[in-house]
Amino acid sequence: MPSYRCVHCLHPSPTLYTLYNPHSTTPTITLTRCKSCPNVVDPHVEMDVVLLLLQCVLGRQKAYRHCIYNAFHVKPGWISLSSLYSSLLSSLPSSLPS
């Protein structure tokens, strides 16, 4: 069973969300609350990949924590996305023109 981490306090959590009525036409998802702090364990689970990538580019610590601790369990396509992100960063010029 994978162990997830709260992006706010890094407390371990067994799940990120609970799925109710999975065979229904409209399943309900409830995000898990952290037992250590009053926040949702990982609100980035609901976020679109483009917005998450933008938050990583902006240097948001919680977005990085999501990518490091929780993304590989939730979204297996993150391996290719992280390699795309690193190649994008390496292609940028090292200094800005004056």
Side-chain angles (χ1 to χ4, degrees), residues 43-78:
H44 297 90
V45 173
E46 295 182 319
M47 195 173 286
D48 187 39
V49 176
V50 175
L51 293 175
L52 187 59
L53 182 62
L54 179 63
Q55 285 202 354
C56 287
V57 168
L58 292 173
R60 309 294 172 144
Q61 185 181 29
K62 293 172 187 162
Y64 280 117
R65 287 180 178 176
H66 167 77
C67 295
I68 292 169
Y69 296 112
N70 301 332
F72 290 109
H73 302 297
V74 178
K75 302 169 187 151
W78 260 104

Side-chain angles (χ1 to χ4, degrees), residues 6-9 31-43 62:
C6 175
V7 295
H8 304 280
C9 67
L31 297 179
T32 305
R33 293 245 173 224
C34 181
K35 294 179 181 174
S36 176
C37 67
N39 299 313
V40 172
V41 172
D42 192 353
K62 293 172 187 162

Side-chain angles (χ1 to χ4, degrees), residues 19-28:
L19 182 64
Y20 297 102
N21 300 327
H23 303 294
S24 167
T25 57
T26 57
T28 305

Side-chain angles (χ1 to χ4, degrees), residues 78-96:
W78 260 104
I79 295 172
S80 61
L81 185 62
S82 63
S83 64
L84 173 68
Y85 177 64
S86 64
S87 65
L88 174 70
L89 285 180
S90 65
S91 68
L92 291 175
S94 58
S95 63
L96 294 174

